């Protein structure tokens, strides 16, 4: 199944901040603008991240270490650093194309859109969650559902419905974005039958540079008791220049 690009980034205030300054406190921001601010905040112009992923099951757990680079919403590069069995595996997104370098067989594979909804390396996240082929801003229509408290913070509650042209399996996604810092704190994912399938919670707010972000993201399947995947951002560096040439299939094979 395929979730929206919400997080991690989830992963450019600029014009948005100017719009915010000019907005009256009593005037409700457009739902799409709220989602865009949350997306821009976690993503930045560029980002570099050190990440730990924990896969939690009723009878076992395992961890992976990764390094990730992003540039806008068009480029993402992810390098798996541990465990040894998966070390050196790389995922690359360039606009709508997604590639996977597998060092064990020395092959670069282009992932078809049908694979974006599949589990990413055995986690409860999908390929799309990690490389973010879908856009939470461009590929959905947005609607206000009111406001609610999440983790003690007042949040906009927004319904996101995939556009007919978007290749997204969800019937709808509901997100909670706090009204002060535009941090997404919760998301719910519903299938075509209207059933709640996944719940995503974001917490552990930290400041990197001048940017406030959530650094712990949990994905919890509702139909699998004891299943959970946790993404932890150990370090984030924003807005350092990264050349477009960094995000190439050739560079995938050279990353260490």
């Amino acid at each position: 199944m395929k979730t929206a690009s919400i997080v991690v980034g989830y992963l450019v205030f600029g014009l948005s901040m100017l719009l915010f300054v000019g907005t009256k406190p009593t005037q409700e921001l457009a739902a799409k603008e709220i989602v865009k601010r949350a997306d821009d905040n976690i993503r930045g112009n560029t980002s570099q991240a050190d990440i730990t992923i924990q896969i939690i099951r009723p009878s076992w757990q395992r961890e992976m270490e990764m390094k990730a680079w992003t540039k806008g919403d068009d480029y993402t590069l992810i390098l798996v650093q541990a465990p040894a069995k998966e070390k050196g595996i790389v995922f690359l997104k360039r606009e709508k194309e997604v590639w996977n370098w597998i060092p064990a067989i020395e092959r670069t594979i282009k992932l078809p859109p049908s694979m974006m909804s599949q589990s990413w390396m055995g986690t409860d996240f999908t390929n799309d969650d990690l490389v973010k082929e879908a856009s939470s801003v461009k590929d959905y229509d947005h609607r206000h559902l009111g406001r609610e408290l999440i983790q003690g913070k007042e949040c906009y509650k927004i319904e996101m419905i995939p556009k007919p042209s978007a290749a997204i399996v969800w019937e709808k996604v509901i997100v909670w974005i706090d009204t002060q810092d535009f941090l997404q704190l919760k998301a719910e994912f519903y299938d075509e039958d209207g059933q709640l399938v996944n719940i995503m919670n974001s917490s552990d707010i930290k400041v990197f540079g001048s940017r406030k972000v959530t650094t712990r993201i949990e994905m919890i399947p509702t139909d699998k008791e004891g299943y959970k995947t946790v993404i932890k951002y150990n370090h984030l560096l924003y807005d350092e220049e990264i050349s477009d040439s960094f995000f190439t299939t050739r560079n995938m094979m050279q990353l260490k």
Side-chain angles (χ1 to χ4, degrees), residues 4 7 11 17 37 62 98 102 106 108-109 177 214 245:
V7 197
L11 296 164
M17 282 303 296
R37 292 189 190 187
R62 76 182 183 98
V98 180
I102 305 175
E106 297 186 343
T108 300
I109 300 171
I177 297 171
T214 54
S245 62

Side-chain angles (χ1 to χ4, degrees), residues 53-70:
I53 292 185
Q54 295 178 319
I55 305 171
I56 300 170
R57 298 294 182 256
S59 59
W60 57 268
Q61 297 185 20
R62 76 182 183 98
E63 285 193 357
M64 291 187 289
E65 301 293 332
M66 304 188 316
K67 179 80 174 179
W69 298 261
T70 69

Side-chain angles (χ1 to χ4, degrees), residues 7-255:
V7 197
V8 144
Y10 280 31
L11 296 164
V12 271
F13 268 164
L15 176 59
S16 294
M17 282 303 296
L18 293 175
L19 291 170
F20 181 72
V21 171
T23 303
K24 297 178 181 179
T26 57
Q27 181 180 342
E28 191 81 295
L29 288 168
K32 182 177 181 178
E33 175 64 21
I34 293 167
V35 172
K36 183 179 185 301
R37 292 189 190 187
D39 192 57
D40 287 347
N41 182 59
I42 192 67
R43 190 187 300 275
N45 293 313
T46 67
S47 71
Q48 302 175 49
D50 294 314
I51 301 168
T52 299
I53 292 185
Q54 295 178 319
I55 305 171
I56 300 170
R57 298 294 182 256
S59 59
W60 57 268
Q61 297 185 20
R62 76 182 183 98
E63 285 193 357
M64 291 187 289
E65 301 293 332
M66 304 188 316
K67 179 80 174 179
W69 298 261
T70 69
K71 185 172 184 178
D73 59 5
D74 285 333
Y75 301 107
T76 300
L77 191 63
I78 298 171
L79 168 67
V80 179
Q81 297 176 306
K85 184 178 179 180
E86 284 93 11
K87 184 176 181 180
I89 292 175
V90 180
F91 290 83
L92 167 68
K93 174 202 169 184
R94 288 180 60 89
E95 298 179 346
K96 290 294 184 180
E97 294 185 342
V98 180
W99 302 82
N100 181 201
W101 163 251
I102 305 175
I105 60 175
E106 297 186 343
R107 285 189 61 191
T108 300
I109 300 171
K110 185 177 182 180
L111 302 184
S114 59
M115 287 190 65
M116 298 311 296
S117 61
Q118 296 183 11
S119 168
W120 189 85
M121 300 188 70
T123 71
D124 297 301
F125 288 85
T126 66
N127 288 314
D128 189 61
D129 293 329
L130 273 294
V131 299
K132 303 174 182 64
E133 182 191 39
S135 167
S136 59
V137 178
K138 299 175 184 177
D139 293 331
Y140 289 82
D141 293 318
H142 310 81
R143 182 169 70 95
H144 278 288
L145 296 180
R147 300 193 186 195
E148 290 183 1
L149 286 178
I150 300 292
Q151 301 175 31
K153 295 180 179 293
E154 184 182 33
C155 292
Y156 300 107
K157 183 179 180 181
I158 296 173
E159 180 184 69
M160 299 170 47
I161 303 295
K163 294 180 178 179
S165 59
I168 297 172
V169 300
W170 303 113
E171 181 71 17
K172 69 176 178 181
V173 179
I174 298 177
V175 297
W176 285 260
I177 297 171
D178 91 276
T179 60
Q180 181 175 354
D181 297 308
F182 295 92
L183 302 175
Q184 181 188 295
L185 300 180
K186 182 179 178 181
E188 294 180 347
F189 304 91
Y190 294 82
D191 65 15
E192 63 275 9
D193 297 320
Q195 298 297 310
L196 176 61
V197 177
N198 285 339
I199 298 173
M200 189 167 70
N201 296 314
S202 301
S203 59
D204 289 1
I205 298 170
K206 296 181 182 179
V207 176
F208 290 98
S210 60
R211 196 177 296 270
K212 186 182 292 187
V213 297
T214 54
T215 61
R216 178 186 173 92
I217 302 170
E218 297 182 346
M219 185 69 82
I220 305 169
T222 59
D223 62 346
K224 297 178 180 179
E225 186 175 355
Y227 278 58
K228 178 168 65 174
T229 299
V230 180
I231 293 180
K232 297 180 180 178
Y233 289 88
N234 305 312
H235 182 72
L236 280 160
L237 177 64
Y238 282 103
D239 300 331
E240 292 288 319
E241 181 64 29
I242 305 176
S243 172
D244 290 357
S245 62
F246 180 79
F247 300 93
T248 62
T249 54
R250 179 184 295 274
N251 193 39
M252 292 171 72
M253 298 179 282
Q254 300 172 350
L255 286 177

